[in-house]
Amino acid sequence: MEKLKKPPKPKIRNKRLLSLQDLLVRSSVPKWVLLALLAPVIAFLLSSKSLTGLKAYQVGDVAESSVKADLTYLVKDSESTDERRRQAEESVPAVYDYDPTMDKKISARLHSAFADMRKLFFESSASDPEEGQTNTEEIMRTGLDNWNQAFRMDLDGESFRILVRANFSEDVENLILFLIQPVLRQGVLATKEVRYADPERGILVRNIETLEEELVTDIDRFLSLREARQAIERRASDFLRQYKYPSLMLSVRIAQELAVPNLTLNKVEWERRRKAAGQVIKPVYYQVKKGEMIVREGDKITQQKLDELATLSELRNESRIWIRFVGLALLLGVLFYVAVESMGQMKPKIRFNNRDLLFLALILLLGFVIALPAGQLGNFDFNVEFFMFPLSSTLYGTPLSMGAMMVSIFFGVSAALVFALVMACVGALVIQNSIFFFIYFLVGGFVAAISVQDCRERGVLLKAGLLVGLCNIFVVVAINMSLDRLLTEAALYDAMFALLGGVIAGIFVTGLIPLGEMAFGYTTNIKLLELANLDSPLLKQLMIVAPGTYHHSLIAGTMVEAAAKAIGANSLLCKVAAYYHDLGKIKKPDYFIENQTGRNRHEKLAPSMSSLILISHVKEGVELARTHRLGGAIIDIIQQHHGTSLISYFYNKAKEMRGQDAAALEEDDFRYPGPRPQTKEAGLVLLADMVEAASHTLQNPTPARVQGMVQKIINKAFSDGQLDQCELTLKDLHEVAKSFKQILNGIFHQRIEYPESAEKGAPPARSKENGALRQPAAATKSQRIEPQEQDQDNLKRLGI
């Protein structure tokens, strides 16, 4: 016989299947490193706000406690500083831009308009006198429209005819300029309002061409727009003898219309200079000595007291921020470490890996982020008419109990109670450093953790949120009673937001649970109930492809569920994990005896290859579970449900085939790679799998023989060390054996043998015993073998 080659040791995990969850679980980074990173992060965020600072008041508020200066410092006198800056700003004169070319611009526009009118009227009439007379009215309308549009006037037709009769002469044009130019040279202001042109401080006139500036205190030398038009009218009297009265009056009107201010207020430049003048003024300070009483309890806050308190709070933050940061980091680090260690010492013990610690850290940070805005609101007293309620009442709506809910669902109520204590400490630090808020968050967290400890449907989360809200109302009423403000409108709003905070927590958790399941691979009871549905695609495929394995899994699920209830383990997880523990047999169902209906496929295989095929169903089951996202808990049980047990049948067969070389055969090659069961649930699935498979080998399954078989299987698993790491005690194993025996006795119960009439020539009747057809005892020689010997042979085939 050829020497068999040593088969490679199978690996459970495929490198391509490694995910972030696997890396976190298998990471060798010590757990205290995560705690050491989390504590400084939260400490930095906490120290950046005024935890040890002073309560922020507004002018007119009443001081809640006395404050004494613990150091000597300077305080900016806001009132004196603002008054000096206001005076400096008011002393800046208004800035006016002077346009010296305004008269030239008006002269150019007037000359262009007169030239266009002369061209329009006289050139058209000269070309064809008869046609010019016919179109006189049309030309008049066109000329009037052009004139009004050029000067933005509303000149009527009769007035325009005066210009036409004067033939738009240069004398009229010069008259208009004579009337308006002296006025513009004197300077025209739009207005002489005192707030712009104060006679005491004067005005600053800036030439926009030369950029020269002149401070003018004699503002009366300038004309307002109204005074400029009056001056034009007075100057017209000097020309009464030289011009006809209609032409003179029309010229006065046109000159008044053309007169515009050439001194305009530059508000932008003036405001800039005012701000610059105010910024030049240095703040006014006065000294507050160490030990001086700044404000006493019950005093009304003035602006001066407000400045002193704000400066003291700022100095405290600047001088002690690093000390406060280090202190908070140490405090939180100790708190987190003690909390994690306390969870690890609980019964049953909770083992946290890096993935779990990261999840707890994220939940804690999420709670901190939610509480931080509320903490900022809590540092201020709001009196805003826009809100119908005091904003301080919204502090009770902070849904910090959601953290305890999620931890209770994923890790159990014991871990959630400790987490609620930590979250309450952080929440109280963020919100007003108040012992009342610590009690409020602690009670809400405890109630939230307890109310969802056996959550199996999503509606329970909303009910739990409502229950938390009702408990919050009770705590808020007690707090308001202790503060003697129960019979106030604010107390009513406090209770409303307390109820809302619990309801919001339940809603948030309902949405966050699926995210936690997908991102971290956790398996909740809600998801387990979904997986327990026998119509799920995987179980349907298992039923069709491997019906024997499917039947075996259902019975194992029933057995392990009863045993889990007897010892206080998670019965739902045990049952669902038993349903899927042999999922890998879908790939090669014919190589497992419960699915074989004809020849045994292992007869033509080497023992090493047969053991390799049997071992591979664990790896393939893990791959299928990962592909269908069954969750980390079920994947772990699939991987651990055989532990490192020995496939003794093929191992002994290989030894027989090796003969004298049997010593060179390595036993590890015929063992499952493990790991051994790490939890009670995994240990129960391992025992149920072995016991259920062995039960089919019993030739005469009486209660006594069932009990002996169950006890033998459990003792073998115990002595082989397969239960060393799953915390199953001897008392637990005794209860497990009792549960298994009851279930199996129910399956193999005795049936009454009903007589059947034998027809002539019919074959001998078969007896129906234990629900299976069996041959008469004296049929063949092989059937005269003792039942005990047959049982031993069958157990060897199962590797038990």
Side-chain angles (χ1 to χ4, degrees):
M1 180 183 295
E2 287 188 8
K3 188 175 181 180
L4 294 176
K5 293 183 179 180
K6 178 180 176 180
K9 189 173 182 179
K11 297 180 180 180
I12 293 298
R13 295 181 184 265
N14 191 329
K15 292 183 179 180
R16 293 175 296 178
L17 296 175
L18 287 178
S19 61
L20 177 60
Q21 301 170 12
D22 302 319
L23 294 176
L24 289 173
V25 173
R26 299 172 60 182
S27 176
S28 60
V29 178
K31 297 177 182 178
W32 62 266
V33 174
L34 294 176
L35 300 178
L37 292 176
L38 177 63
V41 169
I42 297 183
F44 174 76
L45 296 175
L46 287 173
S47 60
S48 62
K49 67 186 295 292
S50 182
L51 290 175
T52 59
L54 304 172
K55 181 176 177 60
Y57 293 102
Q58 291 181 349
V59 176
D61 293 343
V62 177
E64 297 181 359
S65 59
S66 299
V67 180
K68 183 183 292 186
D70 53 2
L71 71 161
T72 300
Y73 62 97
L74 295 176
V75 181
K76 184 175 73 173
D77 190 343
S78 299
E79 294 181 354
S80 300
T81 302
D82 293 343
E83 178 63 23
R84 289 192 178 188
R85 288 178 175 173
R86 185 184 62 80
Q87 293 175 358
E89 291 175 358
E90 291 180 353
S91 65
V92 176
V95 179
Y96 282 81
D97 290 336
Y98 171 63
D99 186 0
T101 63
M102 184 64 71
D103 58 339
K104 295 180 181 179
K105 294 177 182 178
I106 293 176
S107 176
R109 289 173 57 197
L110 193 63
H111 179 73
S112 176
F114 267 77
D116 291 341
M117 292 298 106
R118 286 194 291 266
K119 182 178 180 180
L120 175 66
F121 281 92
F122 298 109
E123 289 184 3
S124 59
S125 60
S127 60
D128 189 353
E130 295 182 359
E131 185 179 354
Q133 293 177 358
T134 306
N135 298 330
T136 299
E137 294 299 327
E138 183 178 350
I139 295 173
M140 285 289 295
R141 286 195 300 270
T142 303
L144 179 60
D145 292 339
N146 293 342
W147 179 273
N148 287 336
Q149 185 176 2
F151 293 104
R152 296 180 181 177
M153 292 183 182
D154 191 17
L155 201 64
D156 57 274
E158 188 62 31
S159 299
F160 187 71
R161 288 180 187 276
I162 296 174
L163 293 174
V164 174
R165 286 195 293 269
N167 298 323
F168 293 95
S169 66
E170 293 183 358
D171 292 339
V172 177
E173 179 183 347
N174 293 332
L175 175 60
I176 296 172
L177 293 177
F178 290 154
L179 292 174
I180 195 173
Q181 284 178 343
V183 175
L184 292 175
R185 292 192 184 101
Q186 187 175 351
V188 180
L189 294 168
T191 181
K192 284 187 177 181
E193 291 187 23
V194 177
R195 62 194 182 104
Y196 296 138
D198 188 357
E200 295 183 0
R201 67 170 183 261
I203 63 173
L204 190 66
V205 178
R206 186 175 66 168
N207 191 313
I208 62 174
E209 277 196 346
T210 63
L211 299 181
E212 295 179 354
E213 297 181 355
E214 179 186 1
L215 180 63
V216 179
T217 56
D218 183 15
I219 304 175
D220 291 335
R221 60 181 267 192
F222 302 121
L223 300 174
S224 66
L225 187 58
R226 182 176 59 84
E227 293 173 343
R229 290 174 178 175
Q230 292 174 354
I232 291 173
E233 189 174 353
R234 286 195 300 269
R235 284 182 57 81
S237 60
D238 298 337
F239 300 96
L240 286 174
R241 296 180 180 180
Q242 301 178 18
Y243 295 93
K244 294 180 180 181
Y245 185 78
S247 297
L248 179 61
M249 291 298 100
L250 181 59
S251 298
V252 170
R253 180 182 174 185
I254 293 174
Q256 289 178 334
E257 293 285 343
L258 291 177
V260 293
N262 57 356
L263 282 169
T264 55
L265 177 67
N266 191 334
K267 288 187 177 181
V268 175
E269 179 64 20
W270 185 27
E271 189 64 29
R272 187 189 67 80
R273 297 191 182 195
R274 284 167 58 90
K275 289 183 178 180
Q279 292 174 354
V280 171
I281 302 300
K282 295 183 179 180
V284 179
Y285 291 93
Y286 63 92
Q287 188 181 66
V288 175
K289 294 186 177 181
K290 182 178 181 180
E292 182 179 343
M293 183 64 69
I294 298 177
V295 64
R296 298 183 184 276
E297 183 180 358
D299 289 349
K300 186 171 288 188
I301 302 296
T302 62
Q303 183 62 47
Q304 180 180 354
K305 298 298 182 184
L306 190 64
D307 292 340
E308 295 175 2
L309 291 173
T311 305
L312 179 60
S313 178
E314 184 178 353
L315 290 174
R316 285 181 176 179
N317 289 340
E318 291 178 355
S319 61
R320 302 178 183 178
I321 186 170
W322 288 108
I323 298 177
R324 186 163 65 252
F325 167 73
V326 175
L328 285 172
L330 293 176
L331 177 64
L332 293 173
V334 171
L335 177 63
F336 296 157
Y337 179 78
V338 171
V340 172
E341 288 298 320
S342 299
M343 294 180 189
Q345 297 300 320
M346 291 179 176
K347 299 296 184 181
K349 289 185 177 181
I350 304 173
R351 295 184 177 91
F352 288 113
N353 52 42
N354 292 339
R355 176 191 62 181
D356 301 332
L357 293 178
L358 178 61
F359 175 80
L360 294 175
L362 291 178
I363 295 298
L364 190 63
L365 286 174
L366 177 61
F368 176 83
V369 170
I370 293 175
L372 189 59
Q376 297 295 339
L377 290 177
N379 287 332
F380 296 92
D381 288 333
F382 290 88
N383 186 16
V384 185
E385 296 181 356
F386 178 77
F387 295 98
M388 299 176 60
F389 52 85
L391 292 185
S392 59
S393 299
T394 60
L395 301 178
Y396 294 104
T398 309
L400 289 189
S401 56
M402 57 175 288
M405 280 191 189
M406 294 195 67
V407 175
S408 180
I409 291 171
F410 288 128
F411 299 104
V413 67
S414 300
L417 294 177
V418 179
F419 184 86
L421 176 63
V422 176
M423 183 65 83
C425 293
V426 174
L429 285 174
V430 175
I431 302 179
Q432 297 183 350
N433 293 334
S434 173
I435 185 64
F436 292 115
F437 277 103
F438 172 76
I439 297 173
Y440 175 77
F441 291 135
L442 184 65
V443 173
F446 278 13
V447 173
I450 295 172
S451 58
V452 297
Q453 60 179 326
D454 194 24
C455 176
R456 296 197 175 192
E457 57 184 23
R458 303 190 188 277
V460 173
L461 300 174
L462 299 179
K463 295 178 182 177
L466 181 60
L467 178 61
V468 172
L470 296 176
C471 293
N472 287 345
I473 292 177
F474 180 82
V475 177
V476 166
V477 169
I479 291 175
N480 286 326
M481 289 178 65
S482 63
L483 297 176
D484 195 18
R485 60 185 186 192
L486 179 62
L487 302 178
T488 60
E489 185 180 0
L492 177 61
Y493 287 113
D494 291 348
M496 291 174 56
F497 278 98
L499 176 62
L500 185 62
V503 175
I504 291 176
I507 295 173
F508 277 8
V509 173
T510 303
L512 290 175
I513 282 180
L515 296 179
E517 291 175 341
M518 290 187 293
F520 290 88
Y522 292 137
T523 307
T524 62
N525 288 342
I526 299 173
K527 185 174 182 179
L528 289 175
L529 283 175
E530 296 172 355
L531 295 175
N533 186 2
L534 297 181
D535 289 332
S536 66
L538 275 179
L539 291 182
K540 277 189 172 181
Q541 185 181 4
L542 182 67
M543 177 181 63
I544 296 172
V545 176
T549 301
Y550 175 79
H551 181 262
H552 156 74
S553 299
L554 293 185
I555 297 178
T558 303
M559 295 170 58
V560 78
E561 181 182 20
K565 290 180 179 179
I567 65 172
N570 189 335
S571 59
L572 181 58
L573 174 60
C574 289
K575 180 176 73 172
V576 177
Y579 286 172
Y580 293 92
H581 76 285
D582 276 340
L583 195 61
K585 294 182 179 180
I586 291 178
K587 298 293 184 66
K588 299 181 180 68
D590 294 340
Y591 287 89
F592 299 91
I593 192 169
E594 67 268 22
N595 300 314
Q596 294 175 358
T597 56
R599 63 183 181 86
N600 189 347
R601 289 182 173 269
H602 292 280
E603 293 177 354
K604 296 183 178 180
L605 296 178
S608 58
M609 183 57 67
S610 296
S611 65
L612 185 62
I613 292 174
L614 296 183
I615 291 172
S616 67
H617 89 275
V618 175
K619 181 192 71 173
E620 291 166 351
V622 170
E623 292 177 355
L624 284 173
R626 290 186 185 282
T627 302
H628 292 82
R629 298 181 179 275
L630 298 187
I634 295 179
I635 293 174
D636 290 340
I637 293 178
I638 293 176
Q639 187 177 2
Q640 300 166 14
H641 81 276
H642 279 296
T644 58
S645 58
L646 178 66
I647 306 177
S648 57
Y649 177 80
F650 290 110
Y651 176 66
N652 293 328
K653 184 178 179 181
K655 290 174 65 177
E656 294 176 0
M657 294 176 65
R658 287 284 186 105
Q660 296 180 353
D661 296 335
L665 194 65
E666 293 188 13
E667 185 178 299
D668 290 341
D669 294 336
F670 293 87
R671 284 188 177 272
Y672 287 94
R676 296 173 183 177
Q678 303 295 306
T679 62
K680 286 186 176 182
E681 289 77 12
L684 291 177
V685 173
L686 179 143
L687 293 176
D689 182 36
M690 297 174 66
V691 170
E692 201 284 330
S695 66
H696 293 281
T697 65
L698 295 178
Q699 294 298 309
N700 185 20
T702 61
R705 298 192 67 195
V706 169
Q707 180 177 358
M709 181 269 298
V710 170
Q711 198 62 51
K712 179 180 179 181
I713 297 299
I714 294 178
N715 290 341
K716 179 176 175 57
F718 179 79
S719 60
D720 194 31
Q722 301 303 319
L723 307 177
D724 290 351
Q725 300 173 4
C726 63
E727 299 180 358
L728 285 172
T729 64
L730 293 176
K731 181 180 179 182
D732 292 338
L733 295 178
H734 179 68
E735 294 296 329
V736 169
K738 286 176 57 178
S739 299
F740 285 174
K741 183 185 68 173
Q742 291 175 359
I743 298 296
L744 292 177
N745 284 335
I747 295 175
F748 297 116
H749 63 278
Q750 298 292 329
R751 295 178 181 269
I752 298 175
E753 183 176 355
Y754 295 95
E756 297 180 4
S757 57
E759 297 181 4
K760 185 177 181 181
R766 297 183 180 181
S767 62
K768 206 170 189 181
E769 183 179 320
N770 297 327
L773 294 177
R774 304 191 184 278
Q775 295 288 347
T780 61
K781 180 179 179 181
S782 61
Q783 291 174 338
R784 290 196 297 267
I785 302 175
E786 291 294 331
Q788 290 84 356
E789 296 178 3
Q790 186 67 34
D791 291 347
Q792 291 293 334
D793 183 62
N794 291 332
L795 287 174
K796 287 181 180 179
R797 284 184 166 273
L798 290 171
I800 299 175

